[in-house]
Amino acid sequence: AQVEFANKLIEEKLINKMNHSFTTLFNGFSAQTTYGKYKELLSKGYQVKTIALPPMPTDDLLPTEVECSLGNINELTDDEVRELLKDCEGFIYAAGADERVVPQKPATKFFYEANVLPTQRLARLAKEAGIKKFVVFGSYLAEFAERLPEYNLRSQAYPNNRLLQEQIAFAEGEGEAIPVEVTAVDGAPRYTGTTIKGVKVSASPEWLQKKLLAIGLRPINNVVDITNFVLHEIGQPLHA
């Protein structure tokens, strides 16, 4: 369900807004979850390039139109990463160590170094390179850790670091993390906040106004309208 939701957001919110090439990083079999997005982007006339750890599972894993380089992005210098991203508008980061990895103790340190630190560095470099859309493919366990507190997943190294990975990505992108305390976990197991700077309150674009009018809602302004749009599009309440 998490992959389905992520794919829907990428397709509807990112693909339709981009007008240059789109870079995605994947590691090993993560490519299978992004193959459909490659095809969707290519069908809309976008350029796609990727860097993947060798060896590739099969020679025909990716569409032939995808520009694929083999290597480890974490071994590139900062200048090399910025060069890789200079002609791109979006970057999907889908690498790192997943729940199949069983590290030696201390596991927290291992997952922090494998998932959090690379995300922090690449989010910073993506911003410096002018990337407008930085997407992290995290883990369903991060969602479970928030929705199912009775299983105490937050105390485990892997889910805890996946949650930290999200916060780091927000912080590096100037979406400053806001401390949130959830007191009614049964009604709202997860509540997150972020700061978006430089927003000018104005009339919403025509496409958004039409979407709201079609379901009987009166457009107010861009800030109010986008929260209503997200609520009715994916069933996720927002407050701004």
Side-chain angles (χ1 to χ4, degrees), residues 78 81-89 122-132:
D78 288 2
V81 173
R82 284 189 286 261
E83 179 68 20
L84 179 69
L85 298 174
K86 71 176 183 180
D87 60 343
C88 301
E89 189 166 346
L122 292 172
R124 172 179 59 81
L125 293 175
K127 179 184 174 184
E128 293 174 3
I131 294 295
K132 297 179 180 179

Side-chain angles (χ1 to χ4, degrees), residues 120 123-124 127 164-177 194-195:
Q120 182 178 30
R124 172 179 59 81
K127 179 184 174 184
L164 181 57
Q165 182 185 31
E166 295 176 4
Q167 297 172 18
I168 288 293
F170 274 120
E172 288 295 334
E174 285 191 353
E176 298 171 2
T194 189
T195 299

Side-chain angles (χ1 to χ4, degrees), residues 98 100-108 110-111 157:
D98 63 22
R100 295 169 296 180
V101 177
V102 181
Q104 299 291 322
K105 293 182 178 181
T108 295
F110 171 84
F111 285 118

Side-chain angles (χ1 to χ4, degrees), residues 112-211:
Y112 180 77
E113 293 177 346
N115 295 333
V116 178
L117 291 182
T119 300
Q120 182 178 30
R121 173 180 179 250
L122 292 172
R124 172 179 59 81
L125 293 175
K127 179 184 174 184
E128 293 174 3
I131 294 295
K132 297 179 180 179
K133 306 290 183 181
F134 184 83
V135 180
V136 175
F137 271 18
S139 170
Y140 56 87
L141 286 174
E143 184 74 9
F144 291 167
E146 298 285 4
R147 290 186 177 273
L148 305 170
E150 64 269 25
Y151 292 103
N152 202 26
L153 293 174
R154 275 182 168 272
S155 66
Q156 298 182 24
Y158 179 73
N160 187 51
N161 273 280
R162 281 300 193 183
L163 289 168
L164 181 57
Q165 182 185 31
E166 295 176 4
Q167 297 172 18
I168 288 293
F170 274 120
E172 288 295 334
E174 285 191 353
E176 298 171 2
I178 298 175
V180 175
E181 180 182 359
V182 179
T183 57
V185 293
D186 291 337
R190 185 180 189 189
Y191 197 105
T192 60
T194 189
T195 299
I196 303 176
K197 297 181 178 180
V199 176
K200 180 181 179 181
V201 179
S202 61
S204 295
E206 185 178 359
W207 70 266
L208 179 53
Q209 294 189 40
K210 287 182 176 179
K211 291 274 190 181

